[in-house]
Amino acid sequence: MVVKRTRTVLVTGFTPFGGEATNPSWEIVKALPDTISGWQVEKLKVPTEFGKAIDVTTRAIDKLAPDIVLCFGQAGGRSRMSVERVAINIDDARIADNAGKQILDQPIRSGAPAAYFCTVPIKAMVAAMAKAEIPAEVSNSAGTFVCNHLIYGVLHHIALKEMTARAGFIHVPFLESQIVDRPNTPAMSLPTMIEGAKAAIMAAIKYRADLKLVGGSLH
Ligand code: PCA
């Protein structure tokens, strides 16, 4: 007998940081439905802290064995939903994290690869959001703060443990409430970003469900 297990996508969002009252990434994740395209959607709130962010997320990966891990983070100043292509092995923080730690020019994992490519279908995810009339783009840098740190740690963990999970990261703009006192700064509404997240997740699920072989082409 073939037992078909429910497939799972783990989605994460961050706690507010840098003096903000909210973090759109967690607001988006919190509002997602519990199933998308028949897959289970597991939601995790991640602290904006070096080290701890990776620990909390990799523990959830080990527990849930998700087929897809999609992390969200705020990128204030960006005007579009940005699907990240790559994570680099460096911490170099402009501000302190939520534990008061400001790491400068340190590798995340010494001796580990300089970078990992995200393993979700980034172009298909951008196209799915564009089709839903939501501004989206591919981004070639997730920065060098806790967001890049987290996705690097997740991709490294999956590689070391030889898991089949695919992982990616989406940076999102500020919410309107965050730019009230910031003229000329882009923002996006929460409902729009939730729709964008759903479209991106559906595209990642479709790709993962169609994938016959581990390690197939990404586009
Ligand atoms: N954005 C930060 C960390 C947490 C978040 O939401 C970043 O871009 O690194």
Side-chain angles (χ1 to χ4, degrees):
M1 193 179 71
V2 179
V3 180
K4 203 163 169 289
R5 81 181 174 92
T6 310
R7 305 192 86 182
T8 304
V9 50
L10 172 64
V11 281
T12 75
F14 280 103
T15 54
F17 68 100
E20 297 298 317
T22 183
N23 189 323
S25 66
W26 175 244
E27 298 305 314
I28 295 164
V29 168
K30 202 170 65 176
L32 289 173
D34 291 328
T35 58
I36 295 179
S37 308
W39 284 38
Q40 189 66 31
V41 178
E42 295 285 346
K43 304 160 194 177
L44 181 70
K45 190 177 186 179
V46 175
T48 302
E49 283 180 40
F50 289 111
K52 214 165 165 189
I54 295 178
D55 293 346
V56 166
T57 307
T58 52
R59 223 177 293 136
I61 292 171
D62 290 344
K63 184 168 152 234
L64 300 166
D67 301 278
I68 298 171
V69 184
L70 197 55
C71 306
F72 287 82
Q74 166 192 305
R78 291 199 195 179
S79 58
R80 299 171 163 259
M81 305 279 283
S82 304
V83 184
E84 299 294 347
R85 190 195 299 269
V86 64
I88 58 176
N89 189 9
I90 198 79
D91 288 331
D92 191 29
R94 188 177 43 82
I95 56 169
D97 70 6
N98 285 358
K101 207 167 16 156
Q102 184 173 5
I103 304 180
L104 297 175
D105 295 322
Q106 295 288 320
I108 299 166
R109 295 283 183 263
S110 53
Y116 286 102
F117 287 114
C118 292
T119 50
V120 291
I122 56 173
K123 293 275 171 78
M125 289 159 73
V126 168
M129 289 194 270
K131 197 162 172 227
E133 300 185 339
I134 288 147
E137 65 189 355
V138 166
S139 161
N140 291 309
S141 175
T144 52
F145 191 45
V146 183
C147 288
N148 171 75
H149 178 87
L150 174 62
I151 186 60
Y152 184 91
V154 165
L155 288 163
H156 185 58
H157 184 80
I158 288 169
L160 277 189
K161 291 212 155 188
E162 299 182 342
M163 291 172 149
T164 57
R166 297 272 169 162
F169 196 99
I170 300 183
H171 262 125
V172 303
F174 279 138
L175 289 164
E176 286 109 334
S177 62
Q178 296 176 282
I179 61 149
V180 171
D181 294 324
R182 287 187 175 107
N184 305 315
T185 307
M188 213 182 256
S189 77
L190 185 58
T192 301
M193 293 203 273
I194 294 166
E195 281 315 301
K198 278 197 239 167
I201 292 168
M202 270 184 230
I205 286 177
K206 184 175 181 328
Y207 171 79
R208 190 72 181 81
D210 287 350
L211 200 65
K212 299 286 182 300
L213 295 167
V214 174
S217 151
L218 285 184
H219 304 295

Coordinates of all heavy atoms in Angstrom, one line a residue, residues 136-194:
A136 N 6.9 42.5 -8.7 CA 7.8 41.6 -8.1 C 9.1 41.6 -9.0 O 9.0 42.0 -10.2 CB 7.2 40.2 -8.1
E137 N 10.2 41.1 -8.4 CA 11.4 41.1 -9.1 C 12.3 40.0 -8.6 O 12.1 39.6 -7.5 CB 12.2 42.5 -9.0 CG 12.6 42.7 -7.5 CD 13.1 44.1 -7.2 OE1 13.3 44.9 -8.1 OE2 13.3 44.4 -6.0
V138 N 13.3 39.6 -9.4 CA 14.4 38.8 -8.8 C 15.4 39.8 -8.2 O 15.7 40.8 -8.7 CB 15.1 38.0 -9.9 CG1 16.4 37.4 -9.5 CG2 14.2 36.9 -10.4
S139 N 16.0 39.4 -7.0 CA 17.0 40.2 -6.4 C 18.3 39.4 -6.3 O 18.2 38.2 -6.0 CB 16.6 40.6 -5.0 OG 17.7 41.0 -4.2
N140 N 19.4 40.0 -6.6 CA 20.7 39.3 -6.5 C 21.4 39.5 -5.2 O 22.6 39.1 -5.1 CB 21.5 39.6 -7.8 CG 20.9 39.1 -9.0 OD1 20.5 37.9 -9.1 ND2 20.7 39.9 -10.0
S141 N 20.8 40.1 -4.3 CA 21.5 40.3 -3.0 C 20.4 40.4 -1.8 O 19.6 41.3 -1.8 CB 22.4 41.5 -2.9 OG 22.9 41.6 -1.6
A142 N 20.5 39.5 -0.9 CA 19.7 39.5 0.3 C 20.3 40.3 1.4 O 19.9 40.3 2.6 CB 19.4 38.1 0.8
G143 N 21.4 41.1 1.1 CA 22.1 41.9 2.1 C 23.0 41.1 2.9 O 23.4 39.9 2.5
T144 N 23.4 41.6 4.0 CA 24.4 40.9 4.9 C 24.0 41.0 6.3 O 24.8 40.9 7.3 CB 25.8 41.6 4.7 OG1 25.7 43.0 4.9 CG2 26.4 41.3 3.4
F145 N 22.7 41.1 6.6 CA 22.1 41.2 7.9 C 21.4 39.8 8.2 O 21.8 38.8 7.7 CB 21.2 42.4 8.0 CG 20.8 42.7 9.4 CD1 21.6 42.8 10.5 CD2 19.4 43.1 9.7 CE1 21.2 43.1 11.8 CE2 19.0 43.4 11.0 CZ 19.9 43.4 12.0
V146 N 20.5 39.8 9.1 CA 19.9 38.5 9.6 C 19.1 37.8 8.5 O 19.1 36.5 8.5 CB 19.0 38.8 10.8 CG1 18.5 37.5 11.4 CG2 19.8 39.5 11.9
C147 N 18.6 38.4 7.5 CA 17.8 37.7 6.4 C 18.8 36.8 5.6 O 18.5 35.7 5.4 CB 17.1 38.7 5.5 SG 15.7 39.5 6.4
N148 N 19.9 37.4 5.1 CA 20.8 36.6 4.4 C 21.4 35.5 5.3 O 21.6 34.4 4.8 CB 22.0 37.6 3.9 CG 23.1 36.8 3.3 OD1 23.1 36.3 2.2 ND2 24.2 36.6 4.1
H149 N 21.7 35.9 6.5 CA 22.2 34.9 7.5 C 21.2 33.7 7.6 O 21.7 32.6 7.6 CB 22.3 35.7 8.9 CG 22.7 34.9 10.0 ND1 24.0 34.7 10.4 CD2 22.0 34.2 11.0 CE1 24.1 34.0 11.5 NE2 22.9 33.7 11.9
L150 N 19.9 34.0 7.7 CA 19.0 32.9 7.9 C 18.9 32.0 6.6 O 19.0 30.8 6.7 CB 17.6 33.4 8.2 CG 16.5 32.4 8.2 CD1 16.7 31.3 9.3 CD2 15.1 33.0 8.4
I151 N 18.8 32.6 5.5 CA 18.7 31.7 4.3 C 20.0 31.0 4.0 O 19.9 29.8 3.6 CB 18.1 32.5 3.0 CG1 17.8 31.6 1.9 CG2 19.0 33.7 2.6 CD1 16.8 30.5 2.1
Y152 N 21.1 31.6 4.3 CA 22.4 30.9 4.2 C 22.4 29.7 5.1 O 22.7 28.5 4.7 CB 23.6 31.8 4.4 CG 24.9 31.0 4.2 CD1 25.5 31.0 3.0 CD2 25.5 30.2 5.2 CE1 26.7 30.3 2.7 CE2 26.6 29.5 5.0 CZ 27.2 29.5 3.7 OH 28.3 28.7 3.5
G153 N 22.0 29.9 6.3 CA 22.0 28.8 7.3 C 21.0 27.7 7.0 O 21.3 26.5 7.2
V154 N 19.9 28.1 6.4 CA 18.9 27.1 6.0 C 19.5 26.2 4.8 O 19.4 25.0 4.8 CB 17.6 27.7 5.6 CG1 16.6 26.8 4.9 CG2 16.9 28.3 6.9
L155 N 20.0 26.9 3.8 CA 20.5 26.2 2.6 C 21.7 25.3 3.0 O 21.8 24.2 2.5 CB 20.9 27.2 1.5 CG 19.7 27.8 0.8 CD1 20.1 29.1 0.1 CD2 19.0 26.9 -0.1
H156 N 22.5 25.8 3.9 CA 23.7 25.0 4.4 C 23.2 23.8 5.2 O 23.7 22.7 4.9 CB 24.6 25.9 5.3 CG 25.8 25.3 5.7 ND1 26.8 24.8 4.8 CD2 26.3 25.0 7.0 CE1 27.8 24.3 5.5 NE2 27.6 24.4 6.8
H157 N 22.2 23.9 6.0 CA 21.7 22.8 6.8 C 21.1 21.7 5.9 O 21.4 20.6 6.0 CB 20.6 23.4 7.7 CG 20.0 22.4 8.6 ND1 20.6 22.0 9.8 CD2 18.8 21.7 8.6 CE1 19.8 21.1 10.4 NE2 18.7 20.9 9.7
I158 N 20.3 22.2 4.9 CA 19.7 21.2 3.9 C 20.8 20.5 3.2 O 20.7 19.3 2.9 CB 18.8 22.0 3.0 CG1 17.5 22.4 3.8 CG2 18.4 21.2 1.8 CD1 16.6 23.4 3.0
A159 N 21.9 21.2 2.8 CA 23.0 20.6 2.0 C 23.7 19.6 2.9 O 24.0 18.5 2.4 CB 23.9 21.7 1.5
L160 N 24.0 20.0 4.1 CA 24.8 19.1 5.0 C 24.0 17.8 5.3 O 24.6 16.8 5.4 CB 25.1 19.8 6.3 CG 26.3 20.8 6.4 CD1 26.5 21.1 7.9 CD2 27.5 20.1 5.8
K161 N 22.7 18.0 5.5 CA 21.9 16.8 5.9 C 21.4 16.1 4.7 O 20.6 15.1 4.8 CB 20.7 17.3 6.8 CG 21.2 17.8 8.1 CD 20.1 17.5 9.2 CE 20.7 17.4 10.5 NZ 19.7 16.9 11.5
E162 N 21.8 16.5 3.5 CA 21.3 15.9 2.2 C 19.8 15.8 2.2 O 19.3 14.7 1.8 CB 22.1 14.6 2.0 CG 23.6 14.8 1.9 CD 24.3 13.5 1.6 OE1 23.8 12.4 1.8 OE2 25.5 13.6 1.2
M163 N 19.1 16.8 2.6 CA 17.7 16.8 2.5 C 17.2 17.2 1.1 O 17.9 17.9 0.4 CB 17.1 17.8 3.5 CG 17.3 17.4 5.0 SD 16.9 18.8 6.1 CE 16.3 17.9 7.5
T164 N 16.0 16.8 0.8 CA 15.5 17.1 -0.5 C 14.7 18.4 -0.5 O 14.2 18.9 -1.6 CB 14.6 16.0 -1.1 OG1 13.5 15.8 -0.1 CG2 15.3 14.7 -1.3
A165 N 14.6 19.1 0.6 CA 13.8 20.3 0.7 C 14.4 21.4 -0.2 O 15.6 21.4 -0.4 CB 13.8 20.8 2.1
R166 N 13.5 22.2 -0.8 CA 13.9 23.3 -1.6 C 13.7 24.6 -0.7 O 12.7 24.6 0.1 CB 13.1 23.4 -2.8 CG 13.2 22.2 -3.7 CD 14.3 22.5 -4.7 NE 14.8 21.4 -5.4 CZ 15.5 21.5 -6.5 NH1 15.8 22.7 -7.0 NH2 15.8 20.4 -7.2
A167 N 14.6 25.5 -0.8 CA 14.5 26.7 0.1 C 14.7 28.0 -0.7 O 15.5 28.1 -1.6 CB 15.5 26.6 1.2
G168 N 14.0 29.0 -0.2 CA 14.1 30.4 -0.9 C 13.7 31.5 0.1 O 13.3 31.2 1.2
F169 N 13.9 32.7 -0.4 CA 13.7 33.9 0.5 C 13.0 35.0 -0.3 O 13.4 35.2 -1.5 CB 15.0 34.4 1.0 CG 14.9 35.3 2.2 CD1 15.0 34.8 3.5 CD2 14.5 36.6 2.0 CE1 14.9 35.7 4.5 CE2 14.3 37.5 3.0 CZ 14.5 37.0 4.3
I170 N 12.0 35.6 0.3 CA 11.4 36.8 -0.4 C 11.5 38.0 0.6 O 11.0 37.9 1.7 CB 9.9 36.5 -0.7 CG1 9.8 35.3 -1.7 CG2 9.3 37.8 -1.3 CD1 8.4 35.0 -2.2
H171 N 12.1 39.1 0.1 CA 12.1 40.3 0.8 C 10.9 41.1 0.4 O 10.5 41.1 -0.8 CB 13.4 41.1 0.4 CG 14.5 41.0 1.5 ND1 15.8 40.5 1.2 CD2 14.5 41.2 2.8 CE1 16.5 40.5 2.3 NE2 15.8 40.9 3.3
V172 N 10.3 41.8 1.4 CA 9.1 42.6 1.1 C 9.3 44.1 1.5 O 10.0 44.4 2.4 CB 7.9 42.0 1.8 CG1 7.7 40.5 1.4 CG2 8.0 42.1 3.3
P173 N 8.5 45.0 0.8 CA 8.6 46.4 1.2 C 8.0 46.7 2.6 O 7.4 45.8 3.2 CB 7.8 47.1 0.1 CG 7.6 46.1 -1.0 CD 7.6 44.7 -0.3
F174 N 8.1 47.9 3.0 CA 7.4 48.4 4.2 C 5.9 48.4 3.9 O 5.5 48.5 2.8 CB 7.8 49.9 4.4 CG 9.1 50.2 5.1 CD1 9.9 51.2 4.7 CD2 9.5 49.5 6.2 CE1 11.1 51.5 5.3 CE2 10.7 49.8 6.9 CZ 11.5 50.8 6.4
L175 N 5.2 48.3 5.0 CA 3.7 48.5 5.0 C 3.5 50.0 5.0 O 4.4 50.8 5.5 CB 3.1 47.9 6.3 CG 3.0 46.4 6.4 CD1 2.7 46.0 7.8 CD2 1.9 45.9 5.4
E176 N 2.3 50.5 4.6 CA 2.0 51.9 4.6 C 2.2 52.5 5.9 O 2.7 53.7 6.1 CB 0.6 52.2 4.1 CG 0.4 52.0 2.6 CD -0.4 50.8 2.3 OE1 -0.4 49.9 3.1 OE2 -1.1 50.8 1.2
S177 N 1.8 51.8 7.0 CA 1.9 52.4 8.4 C 3.3 52.7 8.7 O 3.6 53.6 9.6 CB 1.3 51.4 9.4 OG 2.1 50.2 9.3
Q178 N 4.3 52.1 8.1 CA 5.7 52.3 8.4 C 6.3 53.5 7.7 O 7.4 53.9 8.0 CB 6.5 51.0 8.1 CG 6.2 49.8 8.9 CD 6.9 48.6 8.5 OE1 6.6 48.0 7.5 NE2 8.0 48.3 9.2
I179 N 5.6 54.0 6.7 CA 6.2 55.2 5.9 C 5.5 56.5 6.2 O 5.7 57.5 5.5 CB 6.3 54.9 4.4 CG1 4.9 54.6 3.8 CG2 7.2 53.7 4.2 CD1 4.8 55.1 2.4
V180 N 4.6 56.5 7.1 CA 3.8 57.7 7.4 C 4.8 58.9 7.7 O 4.5 60.0 7.2 CB 2.9 57.5 8.6 CG1 2.2 58.8 9.1 CG2 1.8 56.5 8.3
D181 N 5.8 58.6 8.4 CA 6.8 59.7 8.7 C 8.1 59.6 7.8 O 9.1 60.1 8.1 CB 7.2 59.7 10.1 CG 6.1 60.0 11.0 OD1 5.3 60.9 10.6 OD2 5.9 59.4 12.1
R182 N 8.0 58.9 6.7 CA 9.1 58.7 5.8 C 8.7 59.1 4.4 O 8.3 58.2 3.6 CB 9.6 57.3 5.8 CG 10.3 56.8 7.0 CD 10.8 55.3 6.7 NE 11.6 54.8 7.7 CZ 11.2 53.8 8.5 NH1 10.0 53.3 8.4 NH2 12.0 53.4 9.5
P183 N 8.8 60.4 4.0 CA 8.4 60.8 2.7 C 9.2 60.1 1.6 O 10.4 59.7 1.9 CB 8.6 62.3 2.6 CG 8.9 62.7 4.0 CD 9.3 61.5 4.8
N184 N 8.7 59.9 0.4 CA 9.4 59.3 -0.7 C 9.9 57.9 -0.5 O 11.0 57.6 -1.0 CB 10.5 60.3 -1.1 CG 10.0 61.7 -1.4 OD1 9.0 61.8 -2.1 ND2 10.7 62.7 -0.9
T185 N 9.3 57.2 0.4 CA 9.7 55.8 0.6 C 8.6 54.9 0.1 O 7.4 55.1 0.5 CB 9.9 55.6 2.1 OG1 10.8 56.6 2.6 CG2 10.5 54.2 2.4
P186 N 9.0 53.8 -0.6 CA 7.9 53.0 -1.1 C 7.3 52.1 -0.1 O 7.9 51.8 1.0 CB 8.6 52.1 -2.2 CG 10.1 52.4 -2.1 CD 10.3 53.5 -1.1
A187 N 6.0 51.7 -0.3 CA 5.3 50.8 0.6 C 4.4 49.9 -0.2 O 4.0 50.3 -1.3 CB 4.6 51.6 1.7
M188 N 3.9 48.9 0.4 CA 2.9 48.0 -0.3 C 1.9 47.6 0.8 O 2.2 47.5 2.0 CB 3.6 46.8 -0.8 CG 2.9 46.2 -2.1 SD 3.8 44.7 -2.7 CE 4.7 45.4 -4.0
S189 N 0.6 47.5 0.4 CA -0.4 47.1 1.4 C -0.3 45.6 1.8 O 0.1 44.8 1.0 CB -1.8 47.4 0.8 OG -2.2 46.4 0.0
L190 N -0.8 45.4 3.0 CA -0.7 44.0 3.5 C -1.5 43.0 2.6 O -1.0 42.0 2.2 CB -1.2 43.9 4.9 CG -1.1 42.6 5.6 CD1 0.3 42.0 5.6 CD2 -1.6 42.6 7.1
P191 N -2.8 43.3 2.2 CA -3.5 42.4 1.3 C -2.8 42.1 0.0 O -2.8 41.0 -0.5 CB -4.8 43.1 1.0 CG -5.0 44.1 2.2 CD -3.6 44.5 2.6
T192 N -2.1 43.1 -0.6 CA -1.4 42.9 -1.8 C -0.2 42.0 -1.6 O 0.0 41.0 -2.3 CB -0.8 44.3 -2.4 OG1 -2.0 45.1 -2.6 CG2 0.0 44.1 -3.6
M193 N 0.5 42.2 -0.5 CA 1.6 41.3 -0.2 C 1.2 39.9 0.1 O 1.9 38.9 -0.2 CB 2.5 41.9 0.9 CG 3.2 43.2 0.5 SD 4.6 43.7 1.4 CE 3.9 44.6 2.8
I194 N 0.1 39.7 0.8 CA -0.4 38.4 1.1 C -0.8 37.7 -0.2 O -0.4 36.5 -0.4 CB -1.7 38.4 2.0 CG1 -1.3 39.0 3.4 CG2 -2.3 37.1 2.1 CD1 -2.5 39.4 4.3

